Amino acid sequence: MGENTRAVHLPQPPPPRQEPIGLPVWRSASWASSGDHADVTDADVADNPTVDAFAAAVAALEGAAAPEDVAGQAFSSGMAAITGTLLTFLGNGSHVVALAPVSGATHKLLTGVLSRFGVSADFVDHADLLGVRAAIRPTTKIVYAETLATPTMAVADLRGLYQVARQAGALLVVDSTFATPVVCRPLEHGADLVIHSATRYMGGHDDCVGGVVVGRPDLVAKVRQTRIDTGSALSPDDAFLLRRGLESLPLRVRRMCSTAMVFAASLARHPRVRRVDYPGLPTHPGHQTARHLFDSGPEGTRFGAVVTLTPHGGFAAGAALTDRLRTAAVAPSMGGTHTKAVHLASVARSGDALSGVDAGAVRFAIGLEDAEDLIADVTQALDALGSLPRART
Ligand SMILES: Cc1ncc(COP(=O)(O)O)c(C=O)c1O
């Protein structure tokens, strides 16, 4: 053989004789098949095994007690997973009833992108189940909700939504990024498909991007076909990191929820705080629904790890509060080891669905630091607001 052929056809190691405990990264974009390939369809084409392992792992976690088999399909990002799912079940003339608030990117996808292809959407407040029912049309194909929705941390009444969707013959599609399968598994409460931005809690270290859809195998097979047709495959390296993150997901999420509970309860008492939105507080409108739907775990660890804190003083107070933070990073993401804070009105772009949110609201995505350090950090930043000139609201 010539030197190039020898270089290309290097010996391949045999499969290991012992089972690896860590997941192998199959860094191959092409797969050779033997025999007659004339009839090979998309359904036969292998997905990357590392990517499949991640999707199957999420399906196992979300489907732990689901009434039916659960399959999963991974995507290159959370938005790719949402886009792929919506494109699969919507077409020209289709209608979506989405619960508000919904993440800014999903709002834009529905109102700015899919609207150009003949899809219409109505947004109904989370608390208004009758409104959801009233918004249903003969063309409604999807009822779309987030289990926990920022910035108000609204809790979706999944069982009520399931009834409405079923009567309408529509699918209940739930973005459960903020809940994770640790605190809520929407398939157990009637959801047809569950989507995650795996970038957040599943990866958990701010170092990879991915998304995943899980649900009934026949529905997921259709979503997979859209993923193939539109080209949003997850990379095996990111799949490896995301799958690895799942192994410590319960430990991280329970700990973050526990810190968030203490953080919310403690800072709600600070005199410069106007309100705290956190479903763990008995005053939150979603508190009872969360108690019904969310998997209890140790007390105080099931209400999510995102807290929206609104200081007195409007826009200037919210901006000054984030400027003065020393421990929390100022960043719009969530789910990683570092606590992140974002002054919502400072980052809102035109068209963002921020109506009704106080101009001072700051969203804290709690990380793995010690609760006392986070509380001390926000307390010093709040104390310093005392010296602010009278703020515009
Ligand atoms: C609830 C929710 N879903 C989906 C997404 C989109 O995820 P990704 O950044 O992985 O595309 C986000 C982004 O923050 C989100 O907050």
Side-chain angles (χ1 to χ4, degrees), residues 59-92:
L61 294 179
E62 285 288 356
E68 298 171 308
D69 283 352
V70 178
Q73 177 62 54
F75 280 82
S76 53
S77 70
M79 281 321 296
I82 295 169
T83 305
T85 304
L86 295 182
L87 287 177
T88 302
F89 300 105
L90 301 174
N92 188 8

Side-chain angles (χ1 to χ4, degrees), residues 1-11:
M1 283 190 193
E3 63 182 6
N4 294 301
T5 310
R6 271 188 282 124
V8 170
H9 291 265
L10 295 172

Side-chain angles (χ1 to χ4, degrees), residues 9-30:
H9 291 265
L10 295 172
Q12 290 271 17
R17 292 206 350 252
Q18 288 172 307
E19 263 190 43
I21 290 178
L23 178 71
V25 183
W26 291 93
R27 228 177 173 295
S28 183
S30 314

Side-chain angles (χ1 to χ4, degrees), residues 346-372:
S346 288
V347 296
R349 291 155 298 186
S350 66
D352 275 3
L354 262 188
S355 57
V357 176
D358 189 288
V362 177
R363 187 186 69 197
F364 287 88
I366 301 297
L368 289 178
E369 302 92 337
D370 294 300
E372 312 80 67

Side-chain angles (χ1 to χ4, degrees), residues 77-79 82 103 146 175 177-178 197 199-200 209-210 334:
S77 70
M79 281 321 296
I82 295 169
S103 87
E146 294 178 7
D175 177 337
T177 300
F178 287 91
S197 165
T199 315
R200 314 294 160 195
V209 177
M334 69 285 300

